[in-house]
Amino acid sequence: AQAPLVLAPELTRADLAPHLSLLRDAGGALGVAEAVDSPDWRALRGAFNMGFTPNALWLRVRIERPADSPHEWILEVNNAVLDDVRLYRHTADGTWEEHRAGEDIPRDQWDLPYRNPAFLIDLADANKHVLFLRITSRNSISAQITLWRPAFFGEASRAESLAYGLLLGIYLTIIVIHLLFWRSTRSVVNGWYALYVVNSLFHILLSFGFLQQYTGMPGRLGDMALSLLICVSLWVGAMMSAGVLYLAPRMPRTARWVVWTRAALSAITALLSLTVSYATGVAPAQLAGVIEVVVLIVISLHLLRQGYSPAALFLAAFGLYCLGIV
């Protein structure tokens, strides 16, 4: 068991990872009472990052609330694309209180109209409490799990909305500018760059839950769209990078190899994600994306040593971004 979280009166938020215990539920067959009594609980080591798994994952946190500490809290699971997230708490009358959120749960059943699963908790009794989370997902399972005082959660969400609004505004500005460049100069690379940024923009809107929050998009449809964006980005990124590097005039066979292998990988992984499962297509696409970035950096460094100026421009413009992808 992990050490309990003590809710000191001055506490405004707490990362629950150091206080979490983990139970893997193969096949997702356990009910909450069976999970509570399982002997297989283990202390969570480090961050909650489990990757792709067909299992249900249970998390347990023990909380101690002194009498002078606030009793109203919000528990946030900071991952907008988890399919089914359930919070359980044993009430004073001996029943289990259940809260549900996640992409497969209708939004009107969520405790809060927010992009991430977030649960309202009233720890009315000033004593020890135990909370249980059950998580299943077609996507990779990882999240920061935080307990908030409601007022501070509100402040943080407003600041977050402002930051994301600025980010999305920058994305839209870049898209419009490069579409205008493309139309006025007929430079193909501007069109590919605009398409790459559009792909990235919708990737953000889906992976951070904004489209789902404001449109009520079903979870499976959101996963399908997100998987296609991830898979197609291999080909679009290769076309854009080859154009910025002016690779075809300098290394025509390498340029063809980079573009056509990425086009094939995009098609294969997209088909796998649509016909088999999200993870079957997305996991190899993400690995191929890392390999693509490494190949492009190696090619750029090779050309830079030869004094090829487009390689210097590519590394200056995209070097840090490529490292961020990796």
Side-chain angles (χ1 to χ4, degrees):
Q2 294 279 57
L5 170 64
V6 179
L7 300 178
E10 68 276 7
L11 186 69
T12 59
R13 65 181 296 273
D15 180 6
L16 296 188
H19 307 278
L20 291 174
S21 296
L22 173 69
L23 172 67
R24 295 179 182 272
D25 177 7
L30 297 180
V32 60
E34 296 168 308
V36 169
D37 294 333
S38 173
D40 298 324
W41 288 95
R42 298 290 182 268
L44 180 68
R45 301 302 182 190
F48 179 58
N49 187 355
M50 302 292 109
F52 292 104
T53 174
N55 301 329
L57 299 176
W58 289 84
L59 295 169
R60 180 183 66 197
V61 59
R62 303 179 189 276
I63 297 175
E64 296 181 7
R65 185 181 78 81
D68 56 349
S69 176
H71 62 90
E72 292 184 342
W73 295 84
I74 291 174
L75 190 148
E76 179 195 7
V77 182
N78 189 9
N79 186 333
V81 293
L82 298 176
D83 297 330
D84 192 326
V85 184
R86 306 180 192 184
L87 174 69
Y88 294 95
R89 186 169 72 93
H90 216 193
T91 61
D93 60 5
T95 60
W96 284 101
E97 178 184 290
E98 182 187 59
H99 304 252
R100 300 184 68 185
E103 283 200 302
D104 288 347
I105 308 302
R107 294 269 166 171
D108 59 6
Q109 296 181 24
W110 289 33
D111 286 6
L112 293 172
Y114 189 54
R115 63 181 188 85
N116 292 324
F119 306 101
L120 290 169
I121 303 171
D122 187 357
L123 305 177
D125 299 326
N127 54 24
K128 297 179 180 180
H129 301 266
V130 185
L131 305 179
F132 295 88
L133 276 172
R134 181 185 184 274
I135 299 174
T136 59
S137 187
R138 295 175 291 273
N139 298 276
S140 177
I141 297 180
S142 64
Q144 182 179 16
I145 302 173
T146 307
L147 195 65
W148 293 87
R149 292 265 296 276
F152 291 89
F153 175 81
E155 289 179 9
S157 63
R158 287 190 291 273
E160 177 191 73
S161 296
L162 174 61
Y164 277 119
L166 292 172
L167 176 65
L168 298 178
I170 291 169
Y171 265 85
L172 290 173
T173 302
I174 292 172
I175 291 167
V176 170
I177 288 173
H178 280 270
L179 286 175
L180 291 173
F181 282 169
W182 180 33
R183 181 172 181 177
S184 62
T185 66
R186 295 301 175 185
S187 175
V188 176
V189 68
N190 288 112
W192 283 110
Y193 183 65
L195 183 59
Y196 186 81
V197 178
V198 169
N199 181 291
S200 180
L201 172 62
F202 278 94
H203 190 164
I204 288 175
L205 291 173
L206 284 166
S207 60
F208 287 93
F210 293 111
L211 275 181
Q212 298 92 315
Q213 179 182 359
Y214 292 109
T215 67
M217 178 184 291
R220 290 191 178 274
L221 179 59
D223 287 346
M224 184 185 302
L226 185 57
S227 67
L228 290 176
L229 289 170
I230 292 172
C231 297
V232 170
S233 68
L234 294 173
W235 173 55
V236 177
M239 292 294 295
M240 183 268 294
S241 300
V244 173
L245 279 167
Y246 290 93
L247 198 58
R250 186 78 175 196
M251 304 173 69
R253 284 186 296 181
T254 300
R256 287 195 298 271
W257 175 81
V258 167
V259 169
W260 288 109
T261 56
R262 293 307 176 261
L265 284 170
S266 288
I268 292 169
T269 54
L271 183 62
L272 288 172
S273 70
L274 294 176
T275 58
V276 182
S277 70
Y278 180 93
T280 305
V282 169
Q286 290 177 328
L287 178 60
V290 173
I291 295 172
E292 177 180 325
V293 165
V294 172
V295 168
L296 288 170
I297 290 176
V298 170
I299 291 172
S300 301
L301 291 173
H302 172 70
L303 293 174
L304 184 63
R305 291 183 61 186
Q306 298 178 358
Y308 191 54
S309 58
L313 176 62
F314 179 85
L315 289 171
F318 295 100
L320 287 177
Y321 176 67
C322 289
L323 290 176
I325 291 176
V326 174

